Amino acid sequence: MKTEAQPSTSSLANTSWTGTVISDTVPGSQTWEDKGPLTWSATSGTSEAQVSAARVAEAQARTSQPKKNSVLEAATASVLKQKSMYEKVQVTEKKQSEVLLARPFWSSKAEYILAQVGFSMKPSCLWRFAHLWLNSGGCSFAAIYIFMLFLVGVPLVFLEMAAGQSVRQGGMGVWKIIAPWIGGVGYSSFMVCFILGLYFNVVNSWIIFYMSQSFQFPVPWEKCPLTMNSSGFDPECEQTTPSIYFWYRQTLKASDRIEDGGSPVYSLVLPFFVCWCLVGAFMINGLKSTGKVICILVLLPYFIIIGFFIRSLLLEGAKFGLQQLVVAKISDVYNVSVWSVAGGQVLFNTGIGLGSVASLASYMPQSNNCLSDAFLVSVINLLTLLIVTSFNFSILGFWATVITHRCCERNAEILLKLINLGKLPPDAKPPLDLLDNPTSIYNTWFNGLPQHIKSMVLREVTECNIETQFLKASEGPKFVFLSFVEAMSFLPLSVFWSFIFFLMLLTMGLSSAIGIVQGIITPLQDNFSFFRKHTKLLIVGLFLLMFACGLFFTQPSGSHFIKLLSNHWIVFPIIVIAIFETMAVSWAYGARRFLADLTILLGHPISPIYGWLWPCVCPVVLLILFVTVMVRLYMKPITYMSWDSSTSKEVLRPYPPWALLLMITLFAIVILPIPAYFVYRLIHRIPFRPKSRDRPMTASTSLPLSHQLTPSKEVQKEEILQGDETKYPSTCHVTS
């Protein structure tokens, strides 16, 4: 429908835009836009026609009575014509109003920023960043990470925010509008986001399980459990530490190998279901209630982080931990592996390639300054990582100090027994008073022994070294659920600190889960009007589906699959998706043109450096990153840490060949939409670039960006080229 409104002649003179509309004018995509349901007013036009007809009739009556009938007939015909036009408009508008629904906005910009921060600050980012800092060069890794963040991370976050905000589409539809041939990248990001959502809440279920167990005193990971008849401690636990036993045998009930499946662990099914119920309850009433919940879920962890940071500085061994924090290995600056790990961590921490950043940004006004938002979210993310890593190292320093103290005391007891049995000479007798500073006193005595006595002692006991113990901090989730949890048990009021710590992790995990799910819901609502009309049904159905599919990761071997996907697989599709996103904006749409549109939209110029970073730097860096990760995966076989029930110890095992095949197959499936959509557009002879190269590209029912800033001028809806050679006509022209 194309209608022109003119003040003096048309019956649609009072056409107005009052809210937010969704239009299905472009095949294959429904667009939510900030223009509102149409309100047509034709009464003024018809009344004008009636008055004009009456005046003409009176004039003709005075001059020529015989012509009265013909004049009245002409006036009546004119009125009937106007009424016919009005009725047609009413019918068309009635059909169109069936798909006109309000697209919500964030209640405030603060809620939007917190939503982006909450999505990016996943709990796994905290322990992974700290572990990489510890084992990948220290401050050298941090410097590389910061450099990669501002070279690649911030420009890509800005790109996704700008795309979602200007086009007002989720992660699936935005790329079909910007670059028709590369529209399949939206489907790929949707699939990766869905797979991430399947196992992400399993990690939250581990947190809830630990939180539920932290109300006991002492906490169950502090001491080994008793046997059934209470005659002693569990013999399997006595061969290892209580924290390791609780993690593998009572939480995960882990299998010895990834091949050993089994039914879901029932102690994790309920926490897993509770996680999905919480996320569903937070999101089911729409964006306004979600924003309020986000404020609590994101701000509460920061108060806990500050409290932990202050408390950790007062612990014994905190100074040693902070000394390890500032260690820099200059040689790692020249290590390609460290650069690839840092680059992958930047992509995962910022949430690039999942579609959630664009989906969250699509609920902001188009004139919002997304460049400052990208910098703000990235800086908050970075500062959070630095603060959390600082108190992590302080607490790990305390943990290593306590473990080393206990090691020295245990060695002293063993040596005294061996001397009494005559297996060691009296010269090997350790000092008796180790209460003040066991590590310092014991090591001073040990270093002063003659070499032959020292060798005899080392054959009977292990060496107690705080630096060696500090570097034993576990990798992955075990960094929290083993090393950090064990450190919490050493603190006074361990129950309180354990509960607070898991509350912090849970709130961060739930806020990230909300962002992930929003990246799934928004594209579905953008592309299917049924889901827009039945949002609650969509949320309930989606959560039940993801809960049912996610039960696979709660089986005894589920943690091995989670590590396979999160540590080795997900980085590959994210890099490929990010490359095609930069291609869509930089090469298909045009980086300079995109920046020019944003300049009109934001009302101020944008640094031209992004016109160089997007088309030149980002694709090259991402491609190099992809190749280095591939080479590292080929050169070093991927392994996982499992529990050997026969020896009650952790065992490092290689992933079987079919696990690598699974990774390749899953990668091919999620990337398949990109070439498939390309072939589809090629068959239909769709041009690579949109034809309207002289005007800004917006969603199908949005007003041109320049006209949004000058509403007094003629406002014409922007046409969208969705792949057809013909141009789709805009819905209406409005003349003020």
Side-chain angles (χ1 to χ4, degrees):
M1 181 183 66
K2 182 175 182 181
T3 322
E4 292 187 358
Q6 299 177 357
S8 57
T9 59
S10 174
S11 63
L12 305 179
N14 292 334
T15 303
S16 63
W17 300 83
T18 59
T20 301
V21 303
I22 302 171
S23 173
D24 297 330
T25 43
V26 180
S29 68
Q30 292 78 22
T31 309
W32 298 17
E33 288 305 324
D34 180 27
K35 303 296 168 285
L38 295 168
T39 55
W40 303 93
S41 176
T43 56
S44 60
T46 53
S47 61
E48 275 188 24
Q50 292 173 349
V51 171
S52 300
R55 289 177 179 175
V56 170
E58 290 177 2
Q60 293 293 338
R62 296 191 189 99
T63 56
S64 179
Q65 186 68 25
K67 295 182 179 180
K68 178 179 179 180
N69 291 338
S70 62
V71 173
L72 288 176
E73 288 175 0
T76 302
S78 176
V79 171
L80 292 176
K81 184 177 180 181
Q82 295 286 350
K83 288 184 177 181
S84 177
M85 290 176 60
Y86 175 54
E87 290 171 356
K88 289 180 180 179
V89 170
Q90 278 189 320
V91 172
T92 305
E93 182 60 26
K94 182 178 180 180
K95 293 180 180 179
Q96 190 180 20
S97 65
E98 293 178 359
V99 294
L100 295 179
L101 296 171
R103 185 182 186 91
F105 284 97
W106 294 102
S107 299
S108 64
K109 186 170 182 176
E111 290 185 2
Y112 165 67
I113 295 296
L114 290 176
Q116 292 282 12
V117 171
F119 163 67
S120 63
M121 286 310 305
K122 309 170 188 66
S124 57
C125 296
L126 302 181
W127 61 64
R128 188 177 300 175
F129 184 82
H131 185 268
L132 290 175
W133 188 312
L134 180 62
N135 295 278
S136 298
C139 287
S140 299
F141 167 79
I144 295 172
Y145 178 88
I146 295 173
F147 176 76
M148 294 290 289
L149 176 65
F150 287 99
L151 181 69
V152 176
V154 173
L156 291 179
V157 172
F158 172 43
L159 184 146
E160 290 199 1
M161 284 185 176
Q165 178 179 299
S166 59
V167 181
R168 298 193 57 71
Q169 284 271 300
M172 186 184 297
V174 62
W175 306 111
K176 292 192 291 185
I177 295 176
I178 292 178
W181 279 44
I182 314 179
V185 71
Y187 296 96
S188 295
S189 64
F190 176 85
M191 295 169 69
V192 174
C193 191
F194 183 82
I195 294 173
L196 174 62
L198 291 181
Y199 67 82
F200 188 84
N201 259 343
V202 177
V203 180
N204 288 337
S205 69
W206 299 342
I207 297 172
I208 289 183
F209 181 78
Y210 265 81
M211 182 183 293
S212 65
Q213 299 295 316
S214 64
F215 291 102
Q216 305 178 37
F217 183 80
V219 288
W221 51 84
E222 186 176 349
K223 292 184 178 180
C224 288
L226 297 174
T227 56
M228 296 295 294
N229 56 8
S230 300
S231 59
F233 294 110
D234 190 307
E236 188 177 4
C237 179
E238 287 186 320
Q239 298 181 42
T240 182
T241 63
S243 59
I244 294 179
Y245 177 83
F246 184 82
W247 168 247
Y248 283 109
R249 303 302 293 165
Q250 295 188 342
T251 303
L252 301 179
K253 294 182 171 55
S255 59
D256 289 1
R257 299 177 181 272
I258 191 174
E259 296 91 338
D260 303 332
S263 58
V265 178
Y266 297 110
S267 58
L268 292 178
V269 171
L270 181 58
F272 185 50
F273 183 72
V274 169
C275 289
W276 279 117
C277 289
L278 289 174
V279 176
F282 295 156
M283 301 186 68
I284 199 166
N285 290 324
L287 201 66
K288 183 173 292 187
S289 62
T290 302
K292 301 298 184 292
V293 172
I294 283 291
C295 291
I296 299 175
L297 293 179
V298 177
L299 292 178
L300 179 60
Y302 282 92
F303 290 104
I304 299 177
I305 288 172
I306 294 173
F308 264 111
F309 180 72
I310 296 174
R311 180 68 180 92
S312 66
L313 296 178
L314 304 177
L315 295 174
E316 181 186 7
K319 182 179 179 181
F320 174 80
L322 294 177
Q323 288 174 349
Q324 301 301 310
L325 180 70
V326 298
V327 171
K329 298 178 182 178
I330 305 301
S331 59
D332 286 333
V333 175
Y334 308 101
N335 190 339
V336 178
S337 178
V338 175
W339 282 85
S340 65
V341 169
Q345 190 67 15
V346 166
L347 297 180
F348 187 75
N349 286 2
T350 52
I352 294 168
L354 300 176
S356 295
V357 173
S359 296
L360 294 173
S362 68
Y363 297 104
M364 285 297 288
Q366 291 176 314
S367 59
N368 175 59
N369 190 345
C370 49
L371 177 57
S372 63
D373 293 348
F375 267 99
L376 181 60
V377 171
S378 301
V379 170
I380 293 176
N381 188 311
L382 177 61
L383 292 178
T384 304
L385 289 174
L386 294 178
I387 295 174
V388 172
T389 303
S390 298
F391 86 71
N392 276 345
F393 272 63
S394 298
I395 292 181
L396 286 179
F398 166 71
W399 168 75
T401 300
V402 173
I403 295 293
T404 308
H405 285 348
R406 294 184 177 182
C407 174
C408 295
E409 293 172 352
R410 184 173 59 253
N411 285 354
E413 293 178 0
I414 294 174
L415 292 175
L416 288 175
K417 291 180 180 179
L418 293 176
I419 291 173
N420 293 333
L421 294 175
K423 294 182 178 181
L424 287 176
D427 294 339
K429 183 178 181 181
L432 299 178
D433 187 11
L434 297 176
L435 296 178
D436 294 335
N437 192 342
T439 301
S440 177
I441 297 174
Y442 178 85
N443 286 334
T444 301
W445 164 80
F446 179 78
N447 293 329
L449 291 175
Q451 186 60 40
H452 68 284
I453 300 295
K454 185 183 295 185
S455 301
M456 296 174 63
V457 170
L458 288 178
R459 285 197 296 265
E460 302 295 338
V461 296
T462 59
E463 185 177 1
C464 301
N465 189 299
I466 187 172
E467 295 182 0
T468 304
Q469 183 63 39
F470 188 88
L471 295 175
K472 288 182 179 179
S474 302
E475 181 185 2
K478 294 188 299 178
F479 184 85
V480 168
F481 295 103
L482 290 182
S483 305
F484 211 86
V485 162
E486 190 174 21
M488 291 292 102
S489 65
F490 297 155
L491 289 172
L493 301 175
S494 59
V495 174
F496 170 77
W497 289 109
S498 297
F499 176 79
I500 291 297
F501 174 69
F502 288 116
L503 178 63
M504 178 193 74
L505 293 180
L506 179 62
T507 51
M508 297 180 74
L510 292 177
S511 61
S512 299
I514 290 175
I516 293 171
V517 173
Q518 195 67 56
I520 300 173
I521 291 177
T522 299
L524 292 176
Q525 291 182 321
D526 287 343
N527 287 272
F528 302 99
S529 58
F530 176 81
F531 292 141
R532 295 196 294 270
K533 297 175 183 177
H534 304 89
T535 302
K536 293 184 178 180
L537 180 62
L538 167 64
I539 292 176
V540 173
L542 178 66
F543 288 170
L544 290 177
L545 173 64
M546 298 187 75
F547 168 74
C549 296
L551 287 175
F552 172 81
F553 297 100
T554 62
Q555 62 178 337
S557 61
S559 61
H560 305 320
F561 285 98
I562 291 177
K563 182 178 180 181
L564 178 69
L565 293 176
S566 61
N567 290 6
H568 305 291
W569 174 79
I570 198 170
V571 66
F572 290 105
I574 285 179
I575 294 174
V576 173
I577 290 170
I579 290 175
F580 279 97
E581 287 179 355
T582 57
M583 290 174 57
V585 170
S586 304
W587 300 348
Y589 191 80
R592 293 183 180 179
R593 178 186 171 201
F594 190 76
L595 289 176
D597 292 351
L598 291 179
T599 299
I600 299 174
L601 183 68
L602 304 182
H604 61 79
I606 300 174
S607 174
I609 192 175
Y610 294 98
W612 175 69
L613 288 174
W614 287 337
C616 301
V617 177
C618 290
V620 174
V621 173
L622 291 171
L623 186 60
I624 295 174
L625 180 61
F626 183 83
V627 173
T628 54
V629 174
M630 285 285 292
V631 171
R632 185 160 53 90
L633 183 65
Y634 175 79
M635 298 295 293
K636 183 180 179 181
I638 54 176
T639 58
Y640 65 99
M641 189 70 71
S642 67
W643 178 256
D644 189 349
S645 57
S646 60
T647 60
S648 299
K649 293 182 180 180
E650 291 181 307
V651 179
L652 189 66
R653 304 183 190 276
Y655 277 104
W658 60 261
L660 184 60
L661 180 62
L662 176 65
M663 288 178 55
I664 297 174
T665 304
L666 202 58
F667 173 74
I669 291 174
V670 299
I671 297 301
L672 181 62
I674 298 177
Y677 201 84
F678 182 88
V679 172
Y680 170 79
R681 293 296 185 177
L682 181 64
I683 293 174
H684 289 77
R685 298 182 179 180
I686 308 303
F688 182 73
R689 292 171 177 262
K691 283 187 174 181
S692 304
R693 302 178 68 175
D694 57 333
R695 287 179 293 176
M697 185 72 67
T698 57
S700 57
T701 58
S702 65
L703 301 178
L705 305 183
S706 57
H707 288 154
Q708 293 175 17
L709 302 176
T710 55
S712 60
K713 298 181 180 180
E714 185 185 63
V715 181
Q716 175 179 333
K717 290 201 166 186
E718 182 64 38
E719 59 188 21
I720 294 299
L721 181 64
Q722 282 287 3
D724 202 335
E725 291 289 345
T726 60
K727 296 181 180 179
Y728 294 97
S730 56
T731 305
C732 65
H733 298 273
V734 183
T735 304
S736 301

